[in-house]
């Protein structure tokens, strides 16, 4: 079993819809949870960062972490065509900053 | 100028050739990483280095080698390139106390 599981299937949504992405993980030592956004032909960039369990909101983006279920989510409200990108979850353990990545989800927002 | 710079951005090479991908950073970070990205497989760690004298294998190091020439420079070599090494390669840096990783723009390598 990989440390981080993310269903890589592409996701197409109409503009304005809510996008829901999620990852599961197996390593209970993970404490730091991130979502990276990668536009075509670019490197990944940090989008959201959460420490331990809970929710974090930043504009149209909400990140949720449920450590008891080893499950993290990213929600994008009022999706825009500019949100079309690949979204990768990543996580690391306290004292070991090496990141474990999910496979990424390609999201297409259709105008 | 980009904080993490990779050269070249694109490269086509023949099977059996030696090729080096270079990465330099201006962020002053100790930690540097090399990943490859393939469709459906995500980012896979090849090698990483926590300082100039430290080199560690990642999950897919076979067929690759690295050199950490200075804090700011980390190069990846393919001693004898093969077609299944065709991929998008990313260099990343990370501060000692920070978790966020900063990525370069990537090198698209094609081995024919």
């Amino acid at each position: 079993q990989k440390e981080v599981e993310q269903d890589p299937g592409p996701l197409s949504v109409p503009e304005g819809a809510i996008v829901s992405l999620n990852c599961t993980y197996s390593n209970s030592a993970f404490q730091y949870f991130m979502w990276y956004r990668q536009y075509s032909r670019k490197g990944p960039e940090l989008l959201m960062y959460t420490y331990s369990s809970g929710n974090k909101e930043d504009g149209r983006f909400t990140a949720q972490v449920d450590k008891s279920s080893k499950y993290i989510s990213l929600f994008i409200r009022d999706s825009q065509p500019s949100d079309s990108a690949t979204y990768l979850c990543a996580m690391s353990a306290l004292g070991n900053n090496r990141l474990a990545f999910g496979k990424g989800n390609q999201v297409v927002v259709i105008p | 100028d980009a904080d993490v710079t990779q050269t070249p951005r694109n490269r086509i090479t023949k099977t059996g050739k030696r090729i080096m991908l270079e990465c330099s950073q201006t962020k002053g970070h100790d930690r540097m990483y090399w990943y490859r990205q393939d469709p459906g497989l995500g980012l896979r760690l090849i090698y990483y280095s926590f300082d100039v004298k430290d080199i560690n294998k990642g999950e897919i190091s076979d067929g690759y080698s690295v050199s950490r020439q200075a804090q700011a420079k980390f190069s990846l070599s393919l001693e004898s390139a093969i077609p299944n090494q065709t991929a998008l390669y990313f260099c990343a840096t990370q501060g000692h106390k920070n978790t966020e990783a900063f990525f370069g723009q990537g090198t698209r390598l094609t081995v024919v």
Side-chain angles (χ1 to χ4, degrees):
Chain A
Q1 181 186 13
K2 281 183 68 68
E3 278 189 309
V4 181
E5 298 281 357
Q6 181 179 11
D7 183 353
L11 184 63
S12 292
V13 300
E15 184 175 354
I18 295 175
V19 175
S20 174
L21 305 170
N22 58 76
C23 291
T24 58
Y25 62 95
S26 58
N27 188 346
S28 57
F30 287 148
Q31 296 276 359
Y32 301 96
F33 303 93
M34 288 144 278
W35 287 93
Y36 282 78
R37 179 174 59 193
Q38 184 180 14
Y39 290 115
S40 180
R41 303 181 186 279
K42 300 287 187 182
E45 293 181 314
L46 184 66
L47 178 65
M48 297 285 285
Y49 170 89
T50 309
Y51 172 69
S52 195
S53 283
N55 295 356
K56 185 172 185 178
E57 190 172 318
D58 184 1
R60 297 183 294 109
F61 299 89
T62 300
Q64 292 183 347
V65 175
D66 181 350
K67 290 189 67 181
S68 63
S69 301
K70 296 189 177 68
Y71 187 91
I72 70 171
S73 301
L74 177 71
F75 299 96
I76 308 173
R77 292 184 300 280
D78 187 24
S79 57
Q80 304 295 308
S82 59
D83 295 327
S84 298
T86 296
Y87 293 81
L88 302 101
C89 63
M91 43 201 82
S92 66
L94 184 66
N96 179 358
N97 286 350
R98 189 165 59 87
L99 294 172
F101 283 91
K103 292 181 179 180
N105 276 121
Q106 184 180 6
V107 173
V108 177
V109 180
I110 302 168
Chain B
D1 288 341
D3 293 322
V4 184
T5 302
Q6 291 183 234
T7 56
R9 292 294 312 279
N10 292 280
R11 180 73 181 267
I12 300 173
T13 192
K14 293 184 178 181
T15 297
K17 292 291 187 182
R18 183 180 188 275
I19 183 169
M20 179 181 287
L21 309 183
E22 300 192 10
C23 177
S24 63
Q25 54 117 342
T26 58
K27 299 195 73 66
H29 288 165
D30 292 326
R31 302 180 178 204
M32 298 187 73
Y33 302 82
W34 275 106
Y35 293 90
R36 64 177 281 176
Q37 188 175 41
D38 300 273
L41 297 178
L43 285 166
R44 292 184 291 167
L45 183 62
I46 306 172
Y47 270 97
Y48 62 102
S49 168
F50 283 178
D51 66 38
V52 174
K53 298 180 181 179
D54 179 71
I55 299 291
N56 304 281
K57 291 183 177 181
E59 58 184 304
I60 54 162
S61 58
D62 287 349
Y64 301 94
S65 63
V66 290
S67 174
R68 185 79 183 268
Q69 301 95 322
Q71 186 201 41
K73 296 184 182 295
F74 192 36
S75 59
L76 175 72
S77 294
L78 287 68
E79 297 300 326
S80 179
I82 56 176
N84 76 0
Q85 290 177 315
T86 293
L88 188 56
Y89 290 84
F90 285 103
C91 173
T93 74
Q94 188 182 42
H96 180 70
K97 293 183 178 181
N98 296 330
T99 304
E100 179 180 0
F102 295 84
F103 286 82
Q105 296 281 59
T107 295
R108 185 167 296 278
L109 177 65
T110 303
V111 183
V112 298

